[in-house]
Amino acid sequence: MSRSTASYALSGKRPISPEVTDRVLAAVEQLGYTPNAGARALRTSQTQVLALFARFVEDEFAPAMLEYIKGVTDTARELGYDTLLVSDEDGPGAIRRLSGSQMVDGFVLLNVAEEDDRLEPLRSVHRPGTLVGLPGDTHGVDVFDLDFEASGRLMVEHMHGLGHREMILVSQPEDVVRRGGAYVWRLADTAKAKADELGVDLHHYFAASSQPGIGEDLHRFLDAHPHATALLLNNEGAAAALPAVLQERGLSVPHDLSVIGRYSDVFARTFSLPFSAIDSAADRLGRHAVQQLVDRIEGRIDAAAPHTVELIAPEIHDRGSMAAPPAV
């Protein structure tokens, strides 16, 4: 069998009979063959590597960020791509450097800010990019995110439908907003607007993202509003700390307090959380972003095709932590 025949069988660039393809795949498995990345890059101008830009920030809950990273890396691997994790503080410089050196075929950006300084260089380089997170200006990039505005409305509407008229909303730390984390105010602003529309008294707080600060914050909020019957959480650290806080206060869910959060099923299982939640869709967002990026890299999406902005509609995963408020 010639080298060209084996190459065509592996690449799929030319039709090869099933019998020959099976022989090639058997030989690959037996020999433990791995394609030479350098040779492939010279031949195809592709590296089969995606750059994933992610930052672990002290005041954000690291386990939540890992879910988005896993969604990206798992999908990339399934599609035949390796992932280069980039945590460089100089994001714009890193994008230009990686593109200029032709080390990667495309970019995935997490921690997307409202006015993200990585977007201008990303639009100017000759490599496609996708974002997990909604910036203020979406032109020139594919964007995937949870619909946080719809999530805020849904939280309030659902609790109102159960009879709750006083609620507490706990958001991420204010530093997240100052860095451009628009998802925080998108959810909070629409929750407040819906609460005002429905005649609900909604108390909004920013809180720490880790212990002991978050536990102290939750106690403070509950002390300040003893008549609140519903707790809305857009803060993963608050959800993780809440069981201990409830136990210390002698409160049960949903008998004394109804609770809804915003996090994934994986997160709920990891921290044994019994609270209903809007699925943050971290894995799904990573999958959609990588599939779109690879489709652009491999030409299945025309270069002139409009870019996508996909906001995933919120879904409540009911774990029994919401009910009518206690009788007065």
Side-chain angles (χ1 to χ4, degrees):
M1 183 188 306
S2 69
R3 291 183 180 179
S4 60
T5 300
S7 176
Y8 293 144
L10 291 173
S11 68
K13 290 185 176 180
R14 289 190 184 179
I16 300 296
S17 71
E19 295 79 7
V20 172
T21 300
D22 288 345
R23 286 166 55 197
V24 170
L25 294 177
V28 164
E29 183 175 354
Q30 181 179 356
L31 297 172
Y33 166 76
T34 300
N36 184 289
R40 178 177 57 203
L42 288 172
R43 184 177 68 253
T44 67
S45 299
Q46 292 185 357
T47 63
Q48 301 294 115
V49 177
L50 306 179
L52 171 59
F53 280 66
R55 295 171 182 164
F56 289 93
V57 185
E58 185 175 350
D59 58 8
E60 293 187 22
F61 199 63
M65 175 58 65
L66 287 172
E67 287 192 68
Y68 292 91
I69 292 175
K70 188 174 185 299
V72 169
T73 56
D74 285 354
T75 307
R77 185 174 61 252
E78 292 168 8
L79 296 176
Y81 285 74
D82 292 318
T83 306
L84 174 66
L85 180 61
V86 183
S87 57
D88 196 325
E89 287 297 316
D90 180 15
I95 287 174
R96 295 187 185 97
R97 184 178 67 253
L98 290 171
S99 179
S101 63
Q102 299 185 351
M103 291 176 61
V104 300
D105 296 332
F107 300 88
V108 181
L109 272 56
L110 305 181
N111 308 93
V112 176
E114 175 78 355
E115 302 292 336
D116 201 301
D117 63 0
R118 298 170 296 180
L119 295 187
E120 182 179 351
L122 182 59
R123 293 182 181 112
S124 67
V125 300
H126 299 294
R127 293 286 186 276
T130 59
L131 314 183
V132 177
L134 178 64
D137 182 359
T138 62
H139 89 267
V141 288
D142 293 307
V143 175
F144 300 87
D145 203 1
L146 176 68
D147 191 334
F148 281 91
E149 294 185 358
S151 298
R153 286 192 294 269
L154 181 59
M155 283 180 163
V156 172
E157 285 174 344
H158 194 85
M159 288 296 192
H160 177 268
L162 292 171
H164 297 274
R165 298 297 181 266
E166 185 176 359
M167 310 176 193
I168 300 171
L169 169 62
V170 181
S171 290
Q172 301 281 357
E174 282 189 276
D175 282 349
V176 176
V177 178
R178 283 192 284 268
R179 285 197 304 271
Y183 70 94
V184 177
W185 60 255
R186 285 192 181 109
L187 187 149
D189 285 0
T190 54
K192 182 64 167 64
K194 179 54 67 173
D196 290 345
E197 176 188 326
L198 296 174
V200 169
D201 193 4
L202 179 67
H203 311 287
H204 178 220
Y205 292 97
F206 300 100
S209 60
S210 60
Q211 291 282 30
I214 184 57
E216 295 167 357
D217 284 342
L218 288 171
H219 277 297
R220 180 163 54 87
F221 305 153
L222 292 168
D223 285 341
H225 306 288
H227 300 298
T229 58
L231 185 62
L232 321 179
L233 305 175
N234 187 25
N235 180 321
E236 293 91 345
L242 185 59
V245 170
L246 294 174
Q247 184 176 21
E248 290 168 11
R249 301 179 72 90
L251 298 177
S252 66
V253 171
H255 181 265
D256 300 306
L257 187 69
S258 287
V259 178
I260 184 171
R262 193 271 310 156
Y263 47 79
S264 71
D265 279 346
V266 173
F267 187 89
R269 291 195 300 271
T270 300
F271 291 91
S272 301
L273 299 180
F275 311 124
S276 302
I278 289 175
D279 186 3
S280 61
D283 180 73
R284 193 170 10 152
L285 289 168
R287 288 184 173 275
H288 288 196
V290 172
Q291 183 64 68
Q292 182 83 355
L293 181 60
V294 170
D295 284 348
R296 285 197 181 274
I297 291 168
E298 297 183 355
R300 286 186 289 275
I301 297 177
D302 187 270
H307 286 83
T308 294
V309 177
E310 179 182 326
L311 300 181
I312 293 179
E315 299 177 2
I316 294 178
H317 290 198
D318 191 349
R319 300 185 180 90
S321 67
M322 299 180 293
V328 178

